[in-house]
Amino acid sequence: DAKTTQPPSMDCAEGRAANLPCNHSTISGNEYVYWYRQIHSQGPQYIIHGLKNNETNEMASLIITEDRKSSTLILPHATLRDTAVYYCIVREWNSGNTPLVFGKGTRLSVIA
Amino acid sequence: DTAVSQTPKYLVTQMGNDKSIKCEQNLGHDTMYWYKQDSKKFLKIMFSYNNKELIINETVPNRFSPKSPDKAHLNLHINSLELGDSAVYFCASSPRTSGGVEQFFGPGTRLTVL
């Protein structure tokens, strides 16, 4: 079972920042937060991951609260192509070959 | 270059038939997976192979039989297809090292059983 809770859907205006929240109140000390997204009719795509520090890459930023019980994925300038289902996943770092456990995710709709 | 490829992309067949889906990855990864996404869009793991050896087999009917002829290929054979097998099947791969940070997914195979 997924260990995370996400809102089922969100809207965002094109060009604005999309902030996608995730609750993971039972996260353990050696578990990381991973984000994936699934654009319609495609396979899931890795976005970013983090342990306790904020992370940024070319796709997004990840903000993790100090108590690590929640996090926010930020798409700084959402485009129509960012419309997708976003999945927040927690998993141990050293479980290299462990499959991902997907929850229901958040369906983000970017509106022109 | 496609990193993880699957064939066919679409598969329509009758109940009771036997069919196979093929997956190939050119990333040099050691681990490959099969996931199933049903009509409600839930994505669940079915199998995991590491270096051609089965390491995870979730509660899947034994009509489903994965086969890994080599590290780059993981095929899924399904016997006696049922209506409930209709779904999108995704293959994925990940590197053995660095905690498996990323799993790379194929484009999916949409199976429709009539």
Side-chain angles (χ1 to χ4, degrees), chain A residues 34 36 38 41-46 49 87 91-100 102-104 107, chain B residues 31 33 35 37 41-43 45 48 50 55-56 90 94-96 98-103 105-107:
Chain A
Y34 297 83
Y36 277 73
Q38 186 175 21
S41 298
Q42 297 182 20
Q45 175 191 24
Y46 165 83
H49 76 282
Y87 297 98
R91 200 186 72 167
E92 288 184 8
W93 167 254
N94 213 15
S95 56
N97 302 314
T98 303
L100 300 170
F102 289 85
K104 298 180 182 180
R107 181 174 298 279
Chain B
T31 306
Y33 313 84
Y35 289 83
Q37 188 166 40
K41 304 298 184 183
F42 291 120
L43 195 60
I45 183 68
S48 173
N50 188 33
I55 57 175
I56 290 175
F90 288 100
S94 67
R96 178 170 52 89
S98 66
V101 170
E102 292 184 59
Q103 293 191 11
F105 284 78

mmCIF file of all heavy atoms in Angstrom, chain A residues 34 36 38 41-46 49 87 91-100 102-104 107, chain B residues 31 33 35 37 41-43 45 48 50 55-56 90 94-96 98-103 105-107:
data_model
loop_
_atom_site.group_PDB
_atom_site.id
_atom_site.type_symbol
_atom_site.label_atom_id
_atom_site.label_comp_id
_atom_site.label_asym_id
_atom_site.label_seq_id
_atom_site.Cartn_x
_atom_site.Cartn_y
_atom_site.Cartn_z
ATOM 1 N N TYR A 34 10.237 10.333 -3.474
ATOM 2 C CA TYR A 34 10.416 10.336 -4.919
ATOM 3 C C TYR A 34 9.154 10.893 -5.580
ATOM 4 O O TYR A 34 8.041 10.672 -5.107
ATOM 5 C CB TYR A 34 10.617 8.912 -5.459
ATOM 6 C CG TYR A 34 11.849 8.207 -4.960
ATOM 7 C CD1 TYR A 34 11.866 7.557 -3.726
ATOM 8 C CD2 TYR A 34 12.991 8.140 -5.747
ATOM 9 C CE1 TYR A 34 12.985 6.893 -3.280
ATOM 10 C CE2 TYR A 34 14.118 7.470 -5.309
ATOM 11 C CZ TYR A 34 14.113 6.855 -4.081
ATOM 12 O OH TYR A 34 15.233 6.195 -3.645
ATOM 13 N N TYR A 36 7.255 10.972 -9.386
ATOM 14 C CA TYR A 36 7.133 10.542 -10.775
ATOM 15 C C TYR A 36 5.900 11.213 -11.363
ATOM 16 O O TYR A 36 5.011 11.667 -10.635
ATOM 17 C CB TYR A 36 6.955 9.018 -10.872
ATOM 18 C CG TYR A 36 8.222 8.215 -10.816
ATOM 19 C CD1 TYR A 36 8.928 8.060 -9.623
ATOM 20 C CD2 TYR A 36 8.711 7.579 -11.944
ATOM 21 C CE1 TYR A 36 10.095 7.312 -9.576
ATOM 22 C CE2 TYR A 36 9.876 6.816 -11.910
ATOM 23 C CZ TYR A 36 10.555 6.697 -10.720
ATOM 24 O OH TYR A 36 11.712 5.948 -10.677
ATOM 25 N N GLN A 38 3.017 10.782 -14.845
ATOM 26 C CA GLN A 38 2.572 9.979 -15.969
ATOM 27 C C GLN A 38 1.700 10.847 -16.865
ATOM 28 O O GLN A 38 0.581 11.207 -16.491
ATOM 29 C CB GLN A 38 1.810 8.737 -15.514
ATOM 30 C CG GLN A 38 1.462 7.796 -16.651
ATOM 31 C CD GLN A 38 0.819 6.510 -16.194
ATOM 32 O OE1 GLN A 38 0.277 6.421 -15.096
ATOM 33 N NE2 GLN A 38 0.875 5.491 -17.033
ATOM 34 N N SER A 41 -1.270 8.247 -21.553
ATOM 35 C CA SER A 41 -0.896 7.197 -22.502
ATOM 36 C C SER A 41 0.609 6.945 -22.581
ATOM 37 O O SER A 41 1.076 6.325 -23.532
ATOM 38 C CB SER A 41 -1.411 7.508 -23.916
ATOM 39 O OG SER A 41 -2.804 7.556 -23.922
ATOM 40 N N GLN A 42 1.346 7.428 -21.596
ATOM 41 C CA GLN A 42 2.777 7.164 -21.566
ATOM 42 C C GLN A 42 3.156 6.454 -20.273
ATOM 43 O O GLN A 42 2.366 6.387 -19.328
ATOM 44 C CB GLN A 42 3.571 8.471 -21.675
ATOM 45 C CG GLN A 42 3.370 9.213 -22.981
ATOM 46 C CD GLN A 42 4.221 10.465 -23.054
ATOM 47 O OE1 GLN A 42 5.214 10.615 -22.349
ATOM 48 N NE2 GLN A 42 3.822 11.387 -23.914
ATOM 49 N N GLY A 43 4.376 5.930 -20.237
ATOM 50 C CA GLY A 43 4.870 5.326 -19.009
ATOM 51 C C GLY A 43 5.268 6.396 -18.009
ATOM 52 O O GLY A 43 5.554 7.533 -18.371
ATOM 53 N N PRO A 44 5.286 6.049 -16.717
ATOM 54 C CA PRO A 44 5.712 7.010 -15.696
ATOM 55 C C PRO A 44 7.131 7.492 -15.951
ATOM 56 O O PRO A 44 7.966 6.776 -16.511
ATOM 57 C CB PRO A 44 5.628 6.198 -14.396
ATOM 58 C CG PRO A 44 4.612 5.139 -14.672
ATOM 59 C CD PRO A 44 4.808 4.790 -16.120
ATOM 60 N N GLN A 45 7.387 8.716 -15.510
ATOM 61 C CA GLN A 45 8.680 9.362 -15.728
ATOM 62 C C GLN A 45 9.190 9.899 -14.399
ATOM 63 O O GLN A 45 8.465 10.605 -13.683
ATOM 64 C CB GLN A 45 8.513 10.510 -16.737
ATOM 65 C CG GLN A 45 9.760 11.344 -16.973
ATOM 66 C CD GLN A 45 9.466 12.613 -17.760
ATOM 67 O OE1 GLN A 45 8.343 13.111 -17.759
ATOM 68 N NE2 GLN A 45 10.471 13.129 -18.430
ATOM 69 N N TYR A 46 10.425 9.581 -14.066
ATOM 70 C CA TYR A 46 11.050 10.085 -12.847
ATOM 71 C C TYR A 46 11.217 11.602 -12.940
ATOM 72 O O TYR A 46 11.567 12.140 -13.996
ATOM 73 C CB TYR A 46 12.416 9.419 -12.661
ATOM 74 C CG TYR A 46 13.323 10.095 -11.659
ATOM 75 C CD1 TYR A 46 13.198 9.840 -10.302
ATOM 76 C CD2 TYR A 46 14.306 10.986 -12.087
ATOM 77 C CE1 TYR A 46 14.036 10.458 -9.389
ATOM 78 C CE2 TYR A 46 15.143 11.606 -11.183
ATOM 79 C CZ TYR A 46 14.997 11.334 -9.827
ATOM 80 O OH TYR A 46 15.822 11.953 -8.928
ATOM 81 N N HIS A 49 13.986 13.411 -6.478
ATOM 82 C CA HIS A 49 13.875 12.741 -5.191
ATOM 83 C C HIS A 49 14.666 13.524 -4.152
ATOM 84 O O HIS A 49 15.542 14.336 -4.501
ATOM 85 C CB HIS A 49 14.375 11.296 -5.266
ATOM 86 C CG HIS A 49 15.873 11.166 -5.299
ATOM 87 N ND1 HIS A 49 16.601 11.389 -6.446
ATOM 88 C CD2 HIS A 49 16.766 10.835 -4.333
ATOM 89 C CE1 HIS A 49 17.882 11.194 -6.197
ATOM 90 N NE2 HIS A 49 18.021 10.862 -4.924
ATOM 91 N N TYR A 87 2.841 11.421 -9.028
ATOM 92 C CA TYR A 87 2.873 10.446 -7.943
ATOM 93 C C TYR A 87 4.002 10.774 -6.971
ATOM 94 O O TYR A 87 5.154 10.965 -7.385
ATOM 95 C CB TYR A 87 3.110 9.036 -8.487
ATOM 96 C CG TYR A 87 2.036 8.513 -9.400
ATOM 97 C CD1 TYR A 87 2.176 8.576 -10.786
ATOM 98 C CD2 TYR A 87 0.873 7.930 -8.877
ATOM 99 C CE1 TYR A 87 1.199 8.078 -11.626
ATOM 100 C CE2 TYR A 87 -0.107 7.435 -9.725
ATOM 101 C CZ TYR A 87 0.059 7.510 -11.094
ATOM 102 O OH TYR A 87 -0.908 7.015 -11.924
ATOM 103 N N ARG A 91 10.299 5.619 -0.220
ATOM 104 C CA ARG A 91 10.970 4.329 -0.334
ATOM 105 C C ARG A 91 12.356 4.431 0.273
ATOM 106 O O ARG A 91 12.975 5.489 0.248
ATOM 107 C CB ARG A 91 11.083 3.946 -1.807
ATOM 108 C CG ARG A 91 11.301 2.474 -2.063
ATOM 109 C CD ARG A 91 11.536 2.230 -3.520
ATOM 110 N NE ARG A 91 12.843 2.704 -3.936
ATOM 111 C CZ ARG A 91 13.395 2.394 -5.108
ATOM 112 N NH1 ARG A 91 12.755 1.642 -5.951
ATOM 113 N NH2 ARG A 91 14.563 2.859 -5.436
ATOM 114 N N GLU A 92 12.839 3.315 0.786
ATOM 115 C CA GLU A 92 14.186 3.304 1.339
ATOM 116 C C GLU A 92 15.205 3.570 0.247
ATOM 117 O O GLU A 92 15.019 3.157 -0.898
ATOM 118 C CB GLU A 92 14.469 1.947 1.996
ATOM 119 C CG GLU A 92 13.725 1.737 3.291
ATOM 120 C CD GLU A 92 14.114 0.430 3.959
ATOM 121 O OE1 GLU A 92 15.066 -0.225 3.477
ATOM 122 O OE2 GLU A 92 13.457 0.076 4.951
ATOM 123 N N TRP A 93 16.293 4.208 0.647
ATOM 124 C CA TRP A 93 17.346 4.509 -0.313
ATOM 125 C C TRP A 93 17.975 3.247 -0.865
ATOM 126 O O TRP A 93 18.151 3.094 -2.046
ATOM 127 C CB TRP A 93 18.417 5.362 0.349
ATOM 128 C CG TRP A 93 19.667 5.462 -0.471
ATOM 129 C CD1 TRP A 93 20.844 4.831 -0.223
ATOM 130 C CD2 TRP A 93 19.849 6.215 -1.667
ATOM 131 N NE1 TRP A 93 21.754 5.156 -1.211
ATOM 132 C CE2 TRP A 93 21.174 5.990 -2.094
ATOM 133 C CE3 TRP A 93 19.019 7.042 -2.426
ATOM 134 C CZ2 TRP A 93 21.687 6.597 -3.241
ATOM 135 C CZ3 TRP A 93 19.543 7.635 -3.575
ATOM 136 C CH2 TRP A 93 20.858 7.420 -3.956
ATOM 137 N N ASN A 94 18.332 2.345 -0.010
ATOM 138 C CA ASN A 94 19.148 1.219 -0.428
ATOM 139 C C ASN A 94 18.301 0.027 -0.858
ATOM 140 O O ASN A 94 18.668 -1.111 -0.650
ATOM 141 C CB ASN A 94 20.067 0.807 0.713
ATOM 142 C CG ASN A 94 21.387 0.291 0.188
ATOM 143 O OD1 ASN A 94 21.728 0.492 -0.967
ATOM 144 N ND2 ASN A 94 22.123 -0.381 1.036
ATOM 145 N N SER A 95 17.156 0.305 -1.410
ATOM 146 C CA SER A 95 16.298 -0.767 -1.910
ATOM 147 C C SER A 95 16.329 -0.733 -3.418
ATOM 148 O O SER A 95 15.304 -0.764 -4.069
ATOM 149 C CB SER A 95 14.874 -0.580 -1.388
ATOM 150 O OG SER A 95 14.381 0.700 -1.750
ATOM 151 N N GLY A 96 17.541 -0.702 -3.921
ATOM 152 C CA GLY A 96 17.788 -0.397 -5.320
ATOM 153 C C GLY A 96 16.856 -1.046 -6.308
ATOM 154 O O GLY A 96 16.459 -0.441 -7.279
ATOM 155 N N ASN A 97 16.535 -2.297 -6.058
ATOM 156 C CA ASN A 97 15.734 -2.984 -7.051
ATOM 157 C C ASN A 97 14.302 -3.203 -6.594
ATOM 158 O O ASN A 97 13.586 -4.009 -7.154
ATOM 159 C CB ASN A 97 16.397 -4.315 -7.378
ATOM 160 C CG ASN A 97 17.810 -4.082 -7.872
ATOM 161 O OD1 ASN A 97 18.031 -3.215 -8.695
ATOM 162 N ND2 ASN A 97 18.767 -4.818 -7.340
ATOM 163 N N THR A 98 13.890 -2.488 -5.585
ATOM 164 C CA THR A 98 12.520 -2.637 -5.096
ATOM 165 C C THR A 98 11.568 -1.913 -6.027
ATOM 166 O O THR A 98 11.821 -0.783 -6.430
ATOM 167 C CB THR A 98 12.403 -2.024 -3.687
ATOM 168 O OG1 THR A 98 13.350 -2.645 -2.838
ATOM 169 C CG2 THR A 98 11.008 -2.222 -3.138
ATOM 170 N N PRO A 99 10.480 -2.544 -6.372
ATOM 171 C CA PRO A 99 9.517 -1.874 -7.258
ATOM 172 C C PRO A 99 8.915 -0.651 -6.596
ATOM 173 O O PRO A 99 8.929 -0.519 -5.374
ATOM 174 C CB PRO A 99 8.445 -2.944 -7.476
ATOM 175 C CG PRO A 99 9.074 -4.222 -7.105
ATOM 176 C CD PRO A 99 10.081 -3.903 -6.054
ATOM 177 N N LEU A 100 8.421 0.217 -7.396
ATOM 178 C CA LEU A 100 7.746 1.400 -6.887
ATOM 179 C C LEU A 100 6.312 1.058 -6.504
ATOM 180 O O LEU A 100 5.652 0.292 -7.211
ATOM 181 C CB LEU A 100 7.752 2.490 -7.957
ATOM 182 C CG LEU A 100 9.141 2.935 -8.409
ATOM 183 C CD1 LEU A 100 9.039 3.828 -9.628
ATOM 184 C CD2 LEU A 100 9.849 3.666 -7.278
ATOM 185 N N PHE A 102 2.877 2.717 -6.259
ATOM 186 C CA PHE A 102 2.170 3.924 -6.677
ATOM 187 C C PHE A 102 0.850 4.049 -5.937
ATOM 188 O O PHE A 102 0.107 3.094 -5.809
ATOM 189 C CB PHE A 102 1.891 3.873 -8.189
ATOM 190 C CG PHE A 102 3.112 4.032 -9.040
ATOM 191 C CD1 PHE A 102 3.905 2.943 -9.352
ATOM 192 C CD2 PHE A 102 3.463 5.275 -9.542
ATOM 193 C CE1 PHE A 102 5.028 3.080 -10.148
ATOM 194 C CE2 PHE A 102 4.591 5.421 -10.340
ATOM 195 C CZ PHE A 102 5.366 4.327 -10.640
ATOM 196 N N GLY A 103 0.557 5.272 -5.481
ATOM 197 C CA GLY A 103 -0.764 5.580 -4.957
ATOM 198 C C GLY A 103 -1.651 6.071 -6.082
ATOM 199 O O GLY A 103 -1.451 5.715 -7.241
ATOM 200 N N LYS A 104 -2.626 6.880 -5.722
ATOM 201 C CA LYS A 104 -3.559 7.373 -6.735
ATOM 202 C C LYS A 104 -3.039 8.622 -7.429
ATOM 203 O O LYS A 104 -3.502 8.980 -8.501
ATOM 204 C CB LYS A 104 -4.917 7.655 -6.093
ATOM 205 C CG LYS A 104 -5.569 6.417 -5.503
ATOM 206 C CD LYS A 104 -6.915 6.736 -4.878
ATOM 207 C CE LYS A 104 -7.530 5.485 -4.253
ATOM 208 N NZ LYS A 104 -8.839 5.763 -3.624
ATOM 209 N N ARG A 107 -3.894 14.449 -10.226
ATOM 210 C CA ARG A 107 -4.047 14.806 -11.636
ATOM 211 C C ARG A 107 -3.935 16.314 -11.760
ATOM 212 O O ARG A 107 -4.815 17.043 -11.312
ATOM 213 C CB ARG A 107 -5.388 14.318 -12.179
ATOM 214 C CG ARG A 107 -5.593 14.647 -13.667
ATOM 215 C CD ARG A 107 -6.866 14.003 -14.183
ATOM 216 N NE ARG A 107 -6.811 12.559 -14.095
ATOM 217 C CZ ARG A 107 -6.211 11.774 -14.974
ATOM 218 N NH1 ARG A 107 -5.603 12.306 -16.039
ATOM 219 N NH2 ARG A 107 -6.214 10.471 -14.824
ATOM 220 N N THR B 31 18.138 -4.779 -13.590
ATOM 221 C CA THR B 31 16.825 -5.143 -13.082
ATOM 222 C C THR B 31 15.731 -4.666 -14.015
ATOM 223 O O THR B 31 15.766 -3.546 -14.515
ATOM 224 C CB THR B 31 16.598 -4.544 -11.686
ATOM 225 O OG1 THR B 31 17.678 -4.942 -10.838
ATOM 226 C CG2 THR B 31 15.297 -5.038 -11.078
ATOM 227 N N TYR B 33 11.260 -4.923 -14.702
ATOM 228 C CA TYR B 33 9.980 -5.100 -14.019
ATOM 229 C C TYR B 33 8.834 -5.154 -15.024
ATOM 230 O O TYR B 33 8.932 -4.623 -16.134
ATOM 231 C CB TYR B 33 9.682 -3.903 -13.101
ATOM 232 C CG TYR B 33 10.801 -3.439 -12.212
ATOM 233 C CD1 TYR B 33 11.774 -2.574 -12.695
ATOM 234 C CD2 TYR B 33 10.873 -3.840 -10.881
ATOM 235 C CE1 TYR B 33 12.795 -2.118 -11.869
ATOM 236 C CE2 TYR B 33 11.890 -3.389 -10.060
ATOM 237 C CZ TYR B 33 12.843 -2.524 -10.563
ATOM 238 O OH TYR B 33 13.855 -2.081 -9.752
ATOM 239 N N TYR B 35 4.806 -3.965 -14.709
ATOM 240 C CA TYR B 35 3.742 -3.344 -13.955
ATOM 241 C C TYR B 35 2.443 -3.467 -14.760
ATOM 242 O O TYR B 35 2.470 -3.487 -15.994
ATOM 243 C CB TYR B 35 4.006 -1.854 -13.731
ATOM 244 C CG TYR B 35 5.114 -1.514 -12.758
ATOM 245 C CD1 TYR B 35 6.451 -1.498 -13.161
ATOM 246 C CD2 TYR B 35 4.824 -1.155 -11.444
ATOM 247 C CE1 TYR B 35 7.468 -1.148 -12.269
ATOM 248 C CE2 TYR B 35 5.827 -0.807 -10.554
ATOM 249 C CZ TYR B 35 7.140 -0.806 -10.977
ATOM 250 O OH TYR B 35 8.137 -0.455 -10.093
ATOM 251 N N GLN B 37 -1.370 -1.598 -15.214
ATOM 252 C CA GLN B 37 -2.241 -0.458 -14.896
ATOM 253 C C GLN B 37 -3.643 -0.788 -15.376
ATOM 254 O O GLN B 37 -3.889 -0.914 -16.576
ATOM 255 C CB GLN B 37 -1.737 0.828 -15.548
ATOM 256 C CG GLN B 37 -2.481 2.068 -15.095
ATOM 257 C CD GLN B 37 -1.767 3.349 -15.478
ATOM 258 O OE1 GLN B 37 -1.222 3.462 -16.567
ATOM 259 N NE2 GLN B 37 -1.769 4.329 -14.573
ATOM 260 N N LYS B 41 -6.757 3.011 -13.394
ATOM 261 C CA LYS B 41 -5.464 3.709 -13.470
ATOM 262 C C LYS B 41 -4.517 3.392 -12.322
ATOM 263 O O LYS B 41 -3.513 4.062 -12.149
ATOM 264 C CB LYS B 41 -5.648 5.229 -13.563
ATOM 265 C CG LYS B 41 -6.514 5.661 -14.723
ATOM 266 C CD LYS B 41 -5.905 5.256 -16.050
ATOM 267 C CE LYS B 41 -6.729 5.772 -17.225
ATOM 268 N NZ LYS B 41 -6.191 5.328 -18.523
ATOM 269 N N PHE B 42 -4.837 2.352 -11.528
ATOM 270 C CA PHE B 42 -3.888 1.964 -10.491
ATOM 271 C C PHE B 42 -2.737 1.207 -11.127
ATOM 272 O O PHE B 42 -2.937 0.275 -11.908
ATOM 273 C CB PHE B 42 -4.561 1.092 -9.433
ATOM 274 C CG PHE B 42 -5.545 1.839 -8.602
ATOM 275 C CD1 PHE B 42 -6.876 1.461 -8.579
ATOM 276 C CD2 PHE B 42 -5.149 2.911 -7.831
ATOM 277 C CE1 PHE B 42 -7.786 2.161 -7.810
ATOM 278 C CE2 PHE B 42 -6.055 3.608 -7.048
ATOM 279 C CZ PHE B 42 -7.377 3.225 -7.048
ATOM 280 N N LEU B 43 -1.534 1.578 -10.760
ATOM 281 C CA LEU B 43 -0.326 0.985 -11.322
ATOM 282 C C LEU B 43 0.291 0.069 -10.273
ATOM 283 O O LEU B 43 0.671 0.512 -9.196
ATOM 284 C CB LEU B 43 0.647 2.101 -11.692
ATOM 285 C CG LEU B 43 1.816 1.791 -12.608
ATOM 286 C CD1 LEU B 43 1.341 1.291 -13.952
ATOM 287 C CD2 LEU B 43 2.666 3.028 -12.781
ATOM 288 N N ILE B 45 2.918 -3.427 -9.340
ATOM 289 C CA ILE B 45 4.001 -4.300 -9.752
ATOM 290 C C ILE B 45 3.489 -5.727 -9.929
ATOM 291 O O ILE B 45 2.590 -6.180 -9.205
ATOM 292 C CB ILE B 45 5.150 -4.288 -8.722
ATOM 293 C CG1 ILE B 45 6.329 -5.146 -9.189
ATOM 294 C CG2 ILE B 45 4.666 -4.764 -7.368
ATOM 295 C CD1 ILE B 45 7.063 -4.618 -10.385
ATOM 296 N N SER B 48 9.545 -8.768 -10.897
ATOM 297 C CA SER B 48 10.823 -8.088 -10.964
ATOM 298 C C SER B 48 11.904 -9.126 -11.221
ATOM 299 O O SER B 48 11.911 -10.188 -10.588
ATOM 300 C CB SER B 48 11.094 -7.361 -9.642
ATOM 301 O OG SER B 48 12.400 -6.828 -9.640
ATOM 302 N N ASN B 50 16.179 -9.666 -11.707
ATOM 303 C CA ASN B 50 17.514 -9.115 -11.558
ATOM 304 C C ASN B 50 18.499 -10.068 -12.219
ATOM 305 O O ASN B 50 18.628 -11.215 -11.800
ATOM 306 C CB ASN B 50 17.864 -8.920 -10.085
ATOM 307 C CG ASN B 50 19.160 -8.175 -9.918
ATOM 308 O OD1 ASN B 50 19.496 -7.304 -10.721
ATOM 309 N ND2 ASN B 50 19.912 -8.500 -8.894
ATOM 310 N N ILE B 55 13.058 -12.094 -8.834
ATOM 311 C CA ILE B 55 13.249 -11.729 -7.444
ATOM 312 C C ILE B 55 11.956 -11.280 -6.777
ATOM 313 O O ILE B 55 11.836 -11.305 -5.560
ATOM 314 C CB ILE B 55 14.330 -10.639 -7.272
ATOM 315 C CG1 ILE B 55 14.000 -9.396 -8.093
ATOM 316 C CG2 ILE B 55 15.691 -11.176 -7.639
ATOM 317 C CD1 ILE B 55 14.972 -8.251 -7.857
ATOM 318 N N ILE B 56 10.984 -10.874 -7.531
ATOM 319 C CA ILE B 56 9.697 -10.490 -6.955
ATOM 320 C C ILE B 56 8.595 -11.058 -7.832
ATOM 321 O O ILE B 56 8.641 -10.934 -9.041
ATOM 322 C CB ILE B 56 9.536 -8.968 -6.851
ATOM 323 C CG1 ILE B 56 10.473 -8.405 -5.784
ATOM 324 C CG2 ILE B 56 8.084 -8.593 -6.528
ATOM 325 C CD1 ILE B 56 10.458 -6.914 -5.696
ATOM 326 N N PHE B 90 3.184 -2.170 -18.386
ATOM 327 C CA PHE B 90 4.402 -1.378 -18.531
ATOM 328 C C PHE B 90 5.604 -2.200 -18.104
ATOM 329 O O PHE B 90 5.607 -2.824 -17.040
ATOM 330 C CB PHE B 90 4.350 -0.117 -17.669
ATOM 331 C CG PHE B 90 3.409 0.932 -18.154
ATOM 332 C CD1 PHE B 90 2.154 1.068 -17.577
ATOM 333 C CD2 PHE B 90 3.762 1.786 -19.192
ATOM 334 C CE1 PHE B 90 1.271 2.039 -18.019
ATOM 335 C CE2 PHE B 90 2.884 2.762 -19.637
ATOM 336 C CZ PHE B 90 1.636 2.888 -19.053
ATOM 337 N N SER B 94 15.864 -0.632 -14.087
ATOM 338 C CA SER B 94 16.607 0.259 -13.193
ATOM 339 C C SER B 94 18.012 -0.279 -12.990
ATOM 340 O O SER B 94 18.241 -1.495 -13.077
ATOM 341 C CB SER B 94 15.900 0.403 -11.845
ATOM 342 O OG SER B 94 15.916 -0.809 -11.128
ATOM 343 N N PRO B 95 18.955 0.623 -12.696
ATOM 344 C CA PRO B 95 20.326 0.175 -12.453
ATOM 345 C C PRO B 95 20.436 -0.462 -11.075
ATOM 346 O O PRO B 95 19.698 -0.121 -10.151
ATOM 347 C CB PRO B 95 21.142 1.469 -12.532
ATOM 348 C CG PRO B 95 20.173 2.543 -12.179
ATOM 349 C CD PRO B 95 18.831 2.080 -12.660
ATOM 350 N N ARG B 96 21.371 -1.362 -10.929
ATOM 351 C CA ARG B 96 21.537 -2.072 -9.667
ATOM 352 C C ARG B 96 22.086 -1.180 -8.569
ATOM 353 O O ARG B 96 21.731 -1.313 -7.406
ATOM 354 C CB ARG B 96 22.483 -3.255 -9.887
ATOM 355 C CG ARG B 96 22.799 -4.072 -8.652
ATOM 356 C CD ARG B 96 23.544 -5.353 -9.053
ATOM 357 N NE ARG B 96 24.692 -5.071 -9.898
ATOM 358 C CZ ARG B 96 25.907 -4.816 -9.440
ATOM 359 N NH1 ARG B 96 26.121 -4.775 -8.145
ATOM 360 N NH2 ARG B 96 26.906 -4.586 -10.271
ATOM 361 N N SER B 98 23.318 2.604 -6.726
ATOM 362 C CA SER B 98 22.816 3.928 -6.332
ATOM 363 C C SER B 98 21.366 3.925 -5.889
ATOM 364 O O SER B 98 20.623 4.873 -6.148
ATOM 365 C CB SER B 98 23.033 4.954 -7.440
ATOM 366 O OG SER B 98 22.256 4.671 -8.581
ATOM 367 N N GLY B 99 20.937 2.857 -5.251
ATOM 368 C CA GLY B 99 19.611 2.857 -4.659
ATOM 369 C C GLY B 99 18.466 2.800 -5.639
ATOM 370 O O GLY B 99 17.316 2.991 -5.245
ATOM 371 N N GLY B 100 18.773 2.545 -6.895
ATOM 372 C CA GLY B 100 17.690 2.450 -7.881
ATOM 373 C C GLY B 100 16.857 3.707 -7.935
ATOM 374 O O GLY B 100 15.638 3.652 -7.947
ATOM 375 N N VAL B 101 17.521 4.831 -7.960
ATOM 376 C CA VAL B 101 16.823 6.116 -7.892
ATOM 377 C C VAL B 101 15.798 6.257 -8.998
ATOM 378 O O VAL B 101 14.685 6.704 -8.776
ATOM 379 C CB VAL B 101 17.843 7.267 -7.964
ATOM 380 C CG1 VAL B 101 17.139 8.593 -8.146
ATOM 381 C CG2 VAL B 101 18.689 7.292 -6.718
ATOM 382 N N GLU B 102 16.174 5.883 -10.153
ATOM 383 C CA GLU B 102 15.263 6.049 -11.271
ATOM 384 C C GLU B 102 14.873 4.713 -11.847
ATOM 385 O O GLU B 102 15.716 3.829 -12.004
ATOM 386 C CB GLU B 102 15.941 6.854 -12.382
ATOM 387 C CG GLU B 102 16.214 8.292 -12.052
ATOM 388 C CD GLU B 102 16.784 9.015 -13.252
ATOM 389 O OE1 GLU B 102 16.117 9.045 -14.298
ATOM 390 O OE2 GLU B 102 17.899 9.541 -13.137
ATOM 391 N N GLN B 103 13.615 4.600 -12.147
ATOM 392 C CA GLN B 103 13.166 3.469 -12.942
ATOM 393 C C GLN B 103 12.686 4.026 -14.268
ATOM 394 O O GLN B 103 11.942 5.011 -14.303
ATOM 395 C CB GLN B 103 12.057 2.692 -12.219
ATOM 396 C CG GLN B 103 12.588 2.003 -10.967
ATOM 397 C CD GLN B 103 11.615 1.011 -10.365
ATOM 398 O OE1 GLN B 103 10.609 0.668 -10.970
ATOM 399 N NE2 GLN B 103 11.915 0.547 -9.163
ATOM 400 N N PHE B 105 10.623 3.626 -17.612
ATOM 401 C CA PHE B 105 9.453 2.889 -18.070
ATOM 402 C C PHE B 105 9.360 2.891 -19.591
ATOM 403 O O PHE B 105 9.727 3.873 -20.253
ATOM 404 C CB PHE B 105 8.176 3.500 -17.496
ATOM 405 C CG PHE B 105 7.949 3.160 -16.052
ATOM 406 C CD1 PHE B 105 8.647 3.816 -15.050
ATOM 407 C CD2 PHE B 105 7.033 2.175 -15.690
ATOM 408 C CE1 PHE B 105 8.450 3.503 -13.709
ATOM 409 C CE2 PHE B 105 6.827 1.857 -14.351
ATOM 410 C CZ PHE B 105 7.528 2.520 -13.371
ATOM 411 N N GLY B 106 8.845 1.803 -20.100
ATOM 412 C CA GLY B 106 8.525 1.729 -21.519
ATOM 413 C C GLY B 106 7.209 2.437 -21.808
ATOM 414 O O GLY B 106 6.543 2.921 -20.896
ATOM 415 N N PRO B 107 6.815 2.473 -23.059
ATOM 416 C CA PRO B 107 5.605 3.210 -23.454
ATOM 417 C C PRO B 107 4.308 2.490 -23.139
ATOM 418 O O PRO B 107 3.231 3.075 -23.246
ATOM 419 C CB PRO B 107 5.776 3.367 -24.972
ATOM 420 C CG PRO B 107 6.606 2.197 -25.363
ATOM 421 C CD PRO B 107 7.547 1.952 -24.227
#
